Amino acid sequence: MNDSNLNGRLASASYQLVETRLQTKLDNGITRCDLCLWRCKLSHGQRGFCQAHVNRNGTLYNLSYGIVSSMEVGPIEDKPVKHYRPGSKVLSVGSYGCNFRCGGCHNLEISWGTEALDELARGESKAAYVTPDELVEAALRQGVEGIAFTYSEPAVWLEYLLDVSEAAYRAGLYTVYVTNSFVTDEALELMAPQVDVVCSDIKSMRDEFYHQVCPVGSVSEVLDSIEKAQRLGIHVETRTNIIPGYNDGPEELRQIAEWIRDHLGAESPWHITRFFPAYKLSDVEATPAETLWQAHDIACEVGLTNVYVYDDKGCDCAAENLPVEAFLNADDAQVHAVKKCSASCCGDDGVLLKRYEEELPR
Protein backbone atom coordinates (compact mmCIF):
# COMPACT_ATOMS: atom_id res chain seq x y z
CA MET A 1 0.00 0.00 0.00
CA ASN A 2 1.42 3.43 -0.90
CA ASP A 3 1.71 6.25 1.61
CA SER A 4 -1.14 8.32 0.14
CA ASN A 5 -3.57 5.41 0.53
CA LEU A 6 -2.42 4.87 4.10
CA ASN A 7 -2.88 8.55 4.92
CA GLY A 8 -6.40 8.40 3.54
CA ARG A 9 -7.25 5.41 5.70
CA LEU A 10 -5.80 7.06 8.77
CA ALA A 11 -7.86 10.17 8.12
CA SER A 12 -11.06 8.12 7.85
CA ALA A 13 -10.31 5.76 10.74
CA SER A 14 -12.78 6.41 13.54
CA TYR A 15 -11.83 5.93 17.18
CA GLN A 16 -14.50 4.53 19.42
CA LEU A 17 -14.88 2.56 22.61
CA VAL A 18 -14.77 -1.20 22.07
CA GLU A 19 -16.69 -3.60 24.28
CA THR A 20 -14.51 -5.42 26.79
CA ARG A 21 -14.14 -9.07 25.78
CA LEU A 22 -14.28 -10.54 29.29
CA GLN A 23 -16.95 -9.14 31.60
CA THR A 24 -19.62 -10.46 33.95
CA LYS A 25 -22.81 -8.50 34.56
CA LEU A 26 -23.80 -8.48 38.23
CA ASP A 27 -26.72 -6.84 40.06
CA ASN A 28 -27.66 -3.14 40.13
CA GLY A 29 -25.76 -2.22 36.96
CA ILE A 30 -22.43 -3.39 38.37
CA THR A 31 -20.21 -5.28 35.93
CA ARG A 32 -17.02 -7.19 36.72
CA CYS A 33 -14.00 -6.95 34.45
CA ASP A 34 -12.38 -10.38 34.00
CA LEU A 35 -9.23 -9.36 32.10
CA CYS A 36 -6.85 -9.24 35.04
CA LEU A 37 -6.83 -10.55 38.58
CA TRP A 38 -8.10 -7.30 40.07
CA ARG A 39 -11.50 -8.35 38.66
CA CYS A 40 -12.73 -4.78 39.22
CA LYS A 41 -16.44 -4.45 39.97
CA LEU A 42 -17.56 -1.22 38.31
CA SER A 43 -20.73 0.83 38.39
CA HIS A 44 -21.92 3.21 35.67
CA GLY A 45 -19.25 5.75 34.74
CA GLN A 46 -16.56 4.07 36.81
CA ARG A 47 -13.17 3.13 35.41
CA GLY A 48 -11.12 0.15 36.58
CA PHE A 49 -7.81 0.27 38.39
CA CYS A 50 -6.03 0.23 35.02
CA GLN A 51 -8.08 3.35 34.09
CA ALA A 52 -8.63 1.93 30.58
CA HIS A 53 -11.99 0.15 31.00
CA VAL A 54 -15.21 1.96 31.81
CA ASN A 55 -18.76 0.91 32.71
CA ARG A 56 -21.40 2.56 30.54
CA ASN A 57 -24.92 1.59 31.62
CA GLY A 58 -23.84 -1.87 32.75
CA THR A 59 -21.51 -2.71 29.85
CA LEU A 60 -17.73 -2.39 30.00
CA TYR A 61 -15.79 -0.72 27.20
CA ASN A 62 -12.07 -0.39 26.47
CA LEU A 63 -11.04 3.28 26.25
CA SER A 64 -7.57 2.54 24.87
CA TYR A 65 -8.42 0.31 21.90
CA GLY A 66 -6.08 1.30 19.07
CA ILE A 67 -4.53 4.13 21.09
CA VAL A 68 -0.76 3.83 20.66
CA SER A 69 1.63 5.55 23.05
CA SER A 70 4.93 4.27 21.64
CA MET A 71 6.44 2.22 18.84
CA GLU A 72 9.96 1.04 18.12
CA VAL A 73 11.84 -1.51 15.99
CA GLY A 74 14.49 -3.70 17.56
CA PRO A 75 15.73 -7.27 18.06
CA ILE A 76 13.51 -9.75 19.85
CA GLU A 77 16.37 -10.27 22.30
CA ASP A 78 15.61 -6.81 23.77
CA LYS A 79 12.21 -7.88 25.13
CA PRO A 80 14.11 -9.95 26.50
CA VAL A 81 13.50 -13.16 24.53
CA LYS A 82 16.37 -15.36 23.37
CA HIS A 83 14.90 -18.75 22.51
CA TYR A 84 12.22 -17.82 19.99
CA ARG A 85 13.21 -16.70 16.49
CA PRO A 86 16.66 -15.40 17.63
CA GLY A 87 18.09 -12.74 15.37
CA SER A 88 14.66 -11.58 14.19
CA LYS A 89 13.26 -8.09 14.70
CA VAL A 90 9.98 -6.95 16.22
CA LEU A 91 7.87 -3.83 16.12
CA SER A 92 7.25 -3.00 19.78
CA VAL A 93 4.02 -1.21 20.57
CA GLY A 94 2.39 0.06 23.75
CA SER A 95 -0.69 1.92 24.89
CA TYR A 96 -1.65 3.47 28.25
CA GLY A 97 -2.68 1.96 31.57
CA CYS A 98 -1.45 -0.75 33.91
CA ASN A 99 -2.80 -3.01 36.64
CA PHE A 100 0.36 -2.53 38.76
CA ARG A 101 1.82 0.59 40.37
CA CYS A 102 5.55 -0.21 40.49
CA GLY A 103 7.60 2.23 42.56
CA GLY A 104 10.56 1.93 40.20
CA CYS A 105 8.59 2.29 36.94
CA HIS A 106 10.58 3.72 34.03
CA ASN A 107 7.52 4.05 31.78
CA LEU A 108 5.45 5.98 34.28
CA GLU A 109 3.46 8.26 31.96
CA ILE A 110 2.71 5.33 29.66
CA SER A 111 2.10 2.57 32.17
CA TRP A 112 -0.03 4.51 34.63
CA GLY A 113 -1.41 6.62 31.82
CA THR A 114 -3.70 8.66 34.05
CA GLU A 115 -3.52 11.94 32.14
CA ALA A 116 -3.71 10.27 28.71
CA LEU A 117 -6.67 8.10 29.71
CA ASP A 118 -8.46 11.07 31.31
CA GLU A 119 -8.15 12.88 27.98
CA LEU A 120 -9.58 9.88 26.15
CA ALA A 121 -12.45 9.70 28.62
CA ARG A 122 -13.25 13.38 28.02
CA GLY A 123 -12.97 13.12 24.23
CA GLU A 124 -9.97 15.46 24.26
CA SER A 125 -7.12 13.07 23.41
CA LYS A 126 -4.69 13.65 20.56
CA ALA A 127 -2.93 10.31 21.08
CA ALA A 128 -2.30 8.25 17.95
CA TYR A 129 -5.08 5.89 16.87
CA VAL A 130 -3.97 2.93 14.73
CA THR A 131 -6.27 0.16 13.53
CA PRO A 132 -5.02 -3.45 13.71
CA ASP A 133 -4.56 -3.64 9.95
CA GLU A 134 -2.64 -0.37 9.91
CA LEU A 135 -0.32 -1.61 12.65
CA VAL A 136 0.39 -4.82 10.74
CA GLU A 137 1.02 -2.81 7.57
CA ALA A 138 3.49 -0.63 9.49
CA ALA A 139 5.26 -3.76 10.76
CA LEU A 140 5.54 -5.18 7.25
CA ARG A 141 6.93 -1.89 5.93
CA GLN A 142 9.56 -1.96 8.65
CA GLY A 143 10.63 -5.44 7.58
CA VAL A 144 10.16 -7.02 11.01
CA GLU A 145 9.13 -10.61 11.68
CA GLY A 146 6.95 -9.96 14.72
CA ILE A 147 4.98 -7.51 16.87
CA ALA A 148 5.64 -7.17 20.62
CA PHE A 149 3.07 -5.71 23.02
CA THR A 150 5.07 -3.98 25.74
CA TYR A 151 5.82 -0.70 27.62
CA SER A 152 2.45 -0.92 29.40
CA GLU A 153 0.68 -4.07 30.62
CA PRO A 154 -0.85 -5.61 27.45
CA ALA A 155 -3.80 -7.14 29.33
CA VAL A 156 -5.12 -3.58 29.64
CA TRP A 157 -5.87 -3.48 25.90
CA LEU A 158 -6.49 -7.18 25.37
CA GLU A 159 -9.17 -6.48 22.77
CA TYR A 160 -6.65 -4.71 20.55
CA LEU A 161 -3.96 -7.31 21.21
CA LEU A 162 -6.27 -10.07 20.02
CA ASP A 163 -7.34 -8.25 16.87
CA VAL A 164 -3.75 -7.30 16.01
CA SER A 165 -2.54 -10.85 16.67
CA GLU A 166 -5.16 -12.25 14.32
CA ALA A 167 -4.15 -9.81 11.58
CA ALA A 168 -0.46 -10.49 12.27
CA TYR A 169 -0.99 -14.23 11.95
CA ARG A 170 -2.60 -13.77 8.54
CA ALA A 171 0.41 -11.68 7.49
CA GLY A 172 2.93 -14.27 8.68
CA LEU A 173 4.10 -12.30 11.74
CA TYR A 174 4.57 -13.69 15.24
CA THR A 175 3.44 -11.88 18.42
CA VAL A 176 5.11 -11.35 21.80
CA TYR A 177 3.30 -10.51 25.04
CA VAL A 178 5.53 -8.78 27.65
CA THR A 179 3.64 -8.96 30.93
CA ASN A 180 3.52 -8.93 34.71
CA SER A 181 1.27 -12.04 34.44
CA PHE A 182 -1.36 -10.65 36.80
CA VAL A 183 -3.96 -11.86 34.30
CA THR A 184 -6.91 -14.23 34.45
CA ASP A 185 -7.07 -17.75 33.07
CA GLU A 186 -9.84 -16.56 30.78
CA ALA A 187 -7.58 -13.92 29.24
CA LEU A 188 -4.76 -16.42 28.72
CA GLU A 189 -7.15 -18.85 27.05
CA LEU A 190 -8.24 -16.13 24.61
CA MET A 191 -4.62 -15.28 23.83
CA ALA A 192 -3.23 -18.80 23.50
CA PRO A 193 -4.37 -19.54 19.93
CA GLN A 194 -2.81 -16.33 18.59
CA VAL A 195 0.05 -15.19 20.87
CA ASP A 196 3.34 -16.97 20.26
CA VAL A 197 5.55 -15.76 23.12
CA VAL A 198 5.03 -14.66 26.71
CA CYS A 199 7.89 -12.85 28.42
CA SER A 200 6.87 -12.49 32.06
CA ASP A 201 8.27 -10.86 35.16
CA ILE A 202 8.85 -12.82 38.32
CA LYS A 203 9.37 -9.86 40.62
CA SER A 204 9.73 -11.73 43.89
CA MET A 205 8.75 -14.86 45.78
CA ARG A 206 7.14 -12.84 48.57
CA ASP A 207 3.60 -11.53 48.73
CA GLU A 208 4.87 -8.50 50.65
CA PHE A 209 6.82 -7.37 47.58
CA TYR A 210 3.82 -7.77 45.27
CA HIS A 211 1.57 -5.88 47.69
CA GLN A 212 3.81 -2.84 47.24
CA VAL A 213 3.01 -2.72 43.50
CA CYS A 214 -0.48 -4.23 43.53
CA PRO A 215 -2.38 -4.35 46.85
CA VAL A 216 -4.42 -7.41 45.87
CA GLY A 217 -1.58 -9.27 44.15
CA SER A 218 0.05 -12.49 45.30
CA VAL A 219 3.04 -14.51 44.16
CA SER A 220 1.00 -17.67 43.67
CA GLU A 221 -1.43 -15.96 41.27
CA VAL A 222 1.40 -14.61 39.13
CA LEU A 223 3.26 -17.93 39.06
CA ASP A 224 0.08 -19.84 38.26
CA SER A 225 -0.53 -17.54 35.26
CA ILE A 226 3.01 -18.06 33.97
CA GLU A 227 2.72 -21.82 34.28
CA LYS A 228 -0.71 -21.83 32.64
CA ALA A 229 0.63 -19.88 29.67
CA GLN A 230 3.19 -22.61 29.09
CA ARG A 231 0.60 -25.35 29.50
CA LEU A 232 -1.49 -23.61 26.84
CA GLY A 233 1.38 -24.04 24.39
CA ILE A 234 2.78 -20.49 24.47
CA HIS A 235 6.57 -20.14 24.46
CA VAL A 236 7.47 -18.70 27.90
CA GLU A 237 10.57 -16.87 29.11
CA THR A 238 10.88 -15.12 32.48
CA ARG A 239 12.71 -12.09 33.80
CA THR A 240 13.64 -10.75 37.24
CA ASN A 241 14.72 -7.16 37.77
CA ILE A 242 16.91 -7.33 40.88
CA ILE A 243 16.41 -4.32 43.18
CA PRO A 244 18.99 -3.81 45.97
CA GLY A 245 17.39 -4.25 49.37
CA TYR A 246 14.08 -5.45 47.94
CA ASN A 247 14.47 -8.80 46.14
CA ASP A 248 18.22 -9.40 46.04
CA GLY A 249 18.58 -11.92 48.86
CA PRO A 250 20.39 -15.13 47.83
CA GLU A 251 17.65 -17.34 49.25
CA GLU A 252 14.91 -15.54 47.34
CA LEU A 253 16.93 -15.69 44.12
CA ARG A 254 17.40 -19.41 44.69
CA GLN A 255 13.66 -19.86 45.20
CA ILE A 256 12.92 -18.12 41.88
CA ALA A 257 15.44 -20.29 40.04
CA GLU A 258 14.09 -23.47 41.65
CA TRP A 259 10.51 -22.54 40.75
CA ILE A 260 11.49 -22.02 37.12
CA ARG A 261 13.30 -25.37 37.08
CA ASP A 262 10.44 -27.26 38.71
CA HIS A 263 7.51 -25.65 36.88
CA LEU A 264 8.83 -24.48 33.50
CA GLY A 265 11.80 -26.80 33.04
CA ALA A 266 15.56 -26.62 33.50
CA GLU A 267 15.98 -25.28 29.95
CA SER A 268 13.46 -22.45 30.41
CA PRO A 269 15.28 -19.11 29.94
CA TRP A 270 15.70 -16.78 32.93
CA HIS A 271 16.72 -13.18 32.24
CA ILE A 272 18.37 -11.31 35.13
CA THR A 273 18.25 -7.53 34.65
CA ARG A 274 19.80 -4.59 36.44
CA PHE A 275 17.69 -2.10 38.38
CA PHE A 276 18.24 1.59 37.69
CA PRO A 277 16.91 4.30 40.05
CA ALA A 278 13.51 5.72 39.09
CA TYR A 279 10.40 7.37 40.52
CA LYS A 280 9.82 6.37 44.18
CA LEU A 281 13.00 4.29 44.16
CA SER A 282 15.23 7.10 42.91
CA ASP A 283 17.31 6.86 46.07
CA VAL A 284 18.05 3.15 45.57
CA GLU A 285 21.40 2.38 43.98
CA ALA A 286 21.68 0.58 40.67
CA THR A 287 22.15 -3.16 41.11
CA PRO A 288 25.81 -4.07 41.61
CA ALA A 289 27.16 -6.35 38.89
CA GLU A 290 28.25 -8.89 41.49
CA THR A 291 24.63 -9.31 42.63
CA LEU A 292 23.52 -10.08 39.09
CA TRP A 293 26.25 -12.66 38.64
CA GLN A 294 25.53 -14.15 42.05
CA ALA A 295 21.98 -14.77 40.85
CA HIS A 296 23.40 -16.31 37.67
CA ASP A 297 25.62 -18.67 39.65
CA ILE A 298 22.78 -19.66 41.97
CA ALA A 299 20.57 -20.46 38.97
CA CYS A 300 23.30 -22.64 37.45
CA GLU A 301 23.78 -24.43 40.78
CA VAL A 302 20.10 -25.42 40.91
CA GLY A 303 20.22 -26.69 37.33
CA LEU A 304 18.99 -23.92 35.02
CA THR A 305 20.85 -24.11 31.72
CA ASN A 306 19.82 -20.86 29.99
CA VAL A 307 20.51 -17.95 32.33
CA TYR A 308 21.23 -14.47 30.95
CA VAL A 309 22.61 -11.42 32.76
CA TYR A 310 22.05 -7.83 31.56
CA ASP A 311 24.44 -5.35 33.16
CA ASP A 312 23.12 -2.46 31.06
CA LYS A 313 19.40 -3.21 30.77
CA GLY A 314 16.67 -2.88 33.34
CA CYS A 315 13.36 -2.56 31.51
CA ASP A 316 11.80 -2.44 28.07
CA CYS A 317 11.68 1.36 28.11
CA ALA A 318 10.09 3.74 25.61
CA ALA A 319 11.85 6.97 26.63
CA GLU A 320 13.90 7.36 23.45
CA ASN A 321 11.50 5.95 20.85
CA LEU A 322 10.78 7.76 17.60
CA PRO A 323 7.33 9.42 17.34
CA VAL A 324 4.53 7.04 16.36
CA GLU A 325 3.89 8.92 13.12
CA ALA A 326 7.43 8.09 11.96
CA PHE A 327 6.41 4.44 11.67
CA LEU A 328 3.09 5.16 10.01
CA ASN A 329 4.49 7.52 7.38
CA ALA A 330 1.40 9.59 8.07
CA ASP A 331 0.74 13.28 8.42
CA ASP A 332 1.24 14.46 12.01
CA ALA A 333 -2.07 16.34 12.05
CA GLN A 334 -3.98 13.23 10.96
CA VAL A 335 -2.35 10.97 13.53
CA HIS A 336 -2.93 13.43 16.38
CA ALA A 337 -6.40 14.67 15.56
CA VAL A 338 -8.70 14.88 18.59
CA LYS A 339 -10.26 11.49 19.37
CA LYS A 340 -13.98 11.56 20.04
CA CYS A 341 -15.83 8.32 20.48
CA SER A 342 -18.10 7.70 17.49
CA ALA A 343 -20.27 5.16 19.29
CA SER A 344 -23.55 6.15 20.96
CA CYS A 345 -22.95 4.38 24.27
CA CYS A 346 -21.75 7.42 26.21
CA GLY A 347 -24.75 9.73 26.04
CA ASP A 348 -24.61 13.47 26.58
CA ASP A 349 -22.79 13.25 29.93
CA GLY A 350 -19.65 11.70 28.42
CA VAL A 351 -17.49 9.35 30.42
CA LEU A 352 -17.51 10.08 34.14
CA LEU A 353 -14.14 10.15 35.87
CA LYS A 354 -14.45 8.07 39.02
CA ARG A 355 -11.21 6.78 40.44
CA TYR A 356 -11.40 3.11 41.29
CA GLU A 357 -8.30 3.27 43.51
CA GLU A 358 -9.83 6.04 45.64
CA GLU A 359 -12.38 3.51 46.86
CA LEU A 360 -9.83 0.88 47.88
CA PRO A 361 -9.47 0.09 51.61
CA ARG A 362 -6.69 2.17 53.14
Side-chain angles (χ1 to χ4, degrees):
M1 174 176 293
N2 62 41
D3 291 347
S4 61
N5 287 341
L6 177 61
N7 286 344
R9 286 182 57 181
L10 281 167
S12 63
S14 181
Y15 164 78
Q16 67 176 44
L17 304 186
V18 171
E19 191 167 333
T20 303
R21 291 275 189 109
L22 295 171
Q23 57 181 286
T24 301
K25 295 182 186 298
L26 305 175
D27 295 333
N28 301 318
I30 295 174
T31 303
R32 186 181 69 220
C33 180
D34 295 317
L35 292 175
C36 89
L37 292 167
W38 272 100
R39 294 191 187 270
C40 296
K41 296 177 181 178
L42 306 174
S43 58
H44 171 68
Q46 192 174 31
R47 279 157 50 196
F49 185 81
C50 71
Q51 295 297 315
H53 290 260
V54 62
N55 182 328
R56 292 301 300 167
N57 300 311
T59 298
L60 299 187
Y61 296 90
N62 184 353
L63 273 174
S64 62
Y65 184 95
I67 298 297
V68 175
S69 64
S70 302
M71 296 171 70
E72 190 61 282
V73 171
I76 190 174
E77 286 84 357
D78 281 353
K79 294 306 97 189
V81 172
K82 283 187 176 287
H83 287 246
Y84 187 91
R85 300 288 294 275
S88 63
K89 290 187 175 182
V90 295
L91 177 66
S92 293
V93 59
S95 186
Y96 296 97
C98 189
N99 53 4
F100 275 7
R101 296 289 184 266
C102 296
C105 182
H106 284 261
N107 285 327
L108 193 62
E109 292 183 4
I110 293 171
S111 290
W112 294 23
T114 301
E115 182 177 347
L117 290 164
D118 282 355
E119 290 174 350
L120 280 168
R122 297 189 187 104
E124 300 170 354
S125 175
K126 293 185 178 180
Y129 173 71
V130 185
T131 69
D133 286 341
E134 288 160 358
L135 184 64
V136 169
E137 289 164 5
L140 294 173
R141 277 198 314 278
Q142 293 293 327
V144 303
E145 290 84 9
I147 295 174
F149 301 93
T150 180
Y151 305 137
S152 57
E153 170 53 45
V156 167
W157 63 341
L158 180 69
E159 295 75 24
Y160 187 67
L161 181 153
L162 293 171
D163 289 346
V164 170
S165 295
E166 183 177 344
Y169 180 80
R170 292 195 301 267
L173 302 174
Y174 64 81
T175 51
V176 181
Y177 174 62
V178 183
T179 178
N180 58 33
S181 280
F182 196 64
V183 296
T184 64
D185 286 354
E186 301 97 292
L188 287 171
E189 288 164 3
L190 280 179
M191 284 187 277
Q194 299 176 42
V195 173
D196 298 289
V197 183
V198 162
C199 179
S200 178
D201 286 334
I202 300 178
K203 296 180 181 294
S204 173
M205 294 299 283
R206 293 175 294 110
D207 283 346
E208 293 81 3
F209 184 100
Y210 273 95
H211 290 164
Q212 294 178 40
V213 301
C214 180
V216 301
S218 71
V219 176
S220 62
E221 290 173 314
V222 169
L223 298 181
D224 286 349
S225 292
I226 296 171
E227 190 172 12
K228 182 176 180 67
Q230 181 158 293
R231 288 200 309 270
L232 288 169
I234 305 172
H235 175 82
V236 172
E237 302 195 14
T238 53
R239 180 192 78 126
T240 300
N241 186 232
I242 299 181
I243 307 174
Y246 286 81
N247 63 350
D248 59 342
E251 183 55 34
E252 180 162 17
L253 297 172
R254 182 177 297 276
Q255 290 174 358
I256 295 173
E258 289 176 341
W259 185 89
I260 295 170
R261 178 198 64 195
D262 295 343
H263 294 265
L264 303 179
E267 296 182 354
S268 184
W270 186 30
H271 303 273
I272 300 166
T273 61
R274 189 181 193 192
F275 168 81
F276 291 93
Y279 188 45
K280 291 182 179 180
L281 302 183
S282 295
D283 60 341
V284 178
E285 65 173 342
T287 317
E290 53 266 30
T291 302
L292 303 176
W293 288 103
Q294 180 186 41
H296 172 274
D297 294 344
I298 289 171
C300 293
E301 287 173 9
V302 305
L304 293 187
T305 58
N306 294 299
V307 186
Y308 303 97
V309 172
Y310 301 78
D311 284 338
D312 60 345
K313 182 178 176 63
C315 72
D316 197 15
C317 298
E320 299 180 357
N321 289 16
L322 292 172
V324 171
E325 55 268 25
F327 297 94
L328 300 174
N329 290 330
D331 179 81
D332 182 70
Q334 292 172 329
V335 174
H336 296 291
V338 174
K339 310 298 180 295
K340 290 187 179 294
C341 178
S342 62
S344 59
C345 59
C346 298
D348 294 334
D349 55 347
V351 180
L352 304 177
L353 301 177
K354 296 181 181 177
R355 300 284 185 202
Y356 185 76
E357 57 262 43
E358 288 181 356
E359 299 181 11
L360 291 173
R362 298 296 180 186

